[in-house]
Amino acid sequence: ETAHGLGPCIDGTVPELFAPMIKKMGEFLSWAGESVYGTIGGGNSALCPGWCWKNGFASVTVSLADPSIHYLHVTTAPDADTLILNTNGPDILEVSDLRTGRPHPFLDRGCLEIYDIDWADVETVGTKTFKVKVAL
């Protein structure tokens, strides 16, 4: 019989079976934690979550501390090095790669177009996450 759930053993240690998953989760949260904690789902975001151009899929979270900061979590990479996503009107001021902190080239012309994207993060960590600053 397999135990379900994750918890420490009676002696306080984590079962060896879970160690790689916990390590990977810790590595992910070390750079992506700000896009998870202290955020709310992006249903009313300036960015439209869901299916994007060329078969991409993205979800959105919004910072509770600074509502001008939106996080774009691309979990299915489009079939191109460009992401095109509908917006709900506010001007896009900045786009950066959350993991590296580097600014990303983009255009805002009724939709958000982010260019020259390396999608390796989708394969290795499950998401390419962008930090997007919008005008309020």
Side-chain angles (χ1 to χ4, degrees), residues 19-33 36-37:
M21 178 192 68
I22 291 171
K23 180 177 186 275
K24 191 168 186 171
M25 180 69 76
E27 291 167 355
F28 171 75
L29 289 173
S30 72
W31 63 265
V36 176
Y37 297 109

Side-chain angles (χ1 to χ4, degrees), residues 23-96:
K23 180 177 186 275
K24 191 168 186 171
M25 180 69 76
E27 291 167 355
F28 171 75
L29 289 173
S30 72
W31 63 265
E34 74 179 74
S35 71
V36 176
Y37 297 109
T39 64
I40 191 167
N44 295 318
S45 171
L47 308 173
C48 297
W51 291 104
C52 314
W53 182 70
K54 295 275 188 177
N55 303 314
F57 187 86
S59 59
V60 176
T61 56
V62 179
S63 170
L64 290 170
D66 182 353
S68 72
I69 302 297
H70 299 232
Y71 300 95
L72 184 59
H73 308 266
V74 181
T75 53
T76 301
D79 302 326
D81 68 351
T82 299
L83 178 72
I84 300 177
L85 181 78
N86 288 329
T87 61
N88 289 318
D91 291 338
I92 307 297
L93 305 175
E94 299 171 17
V95 175
S96 60

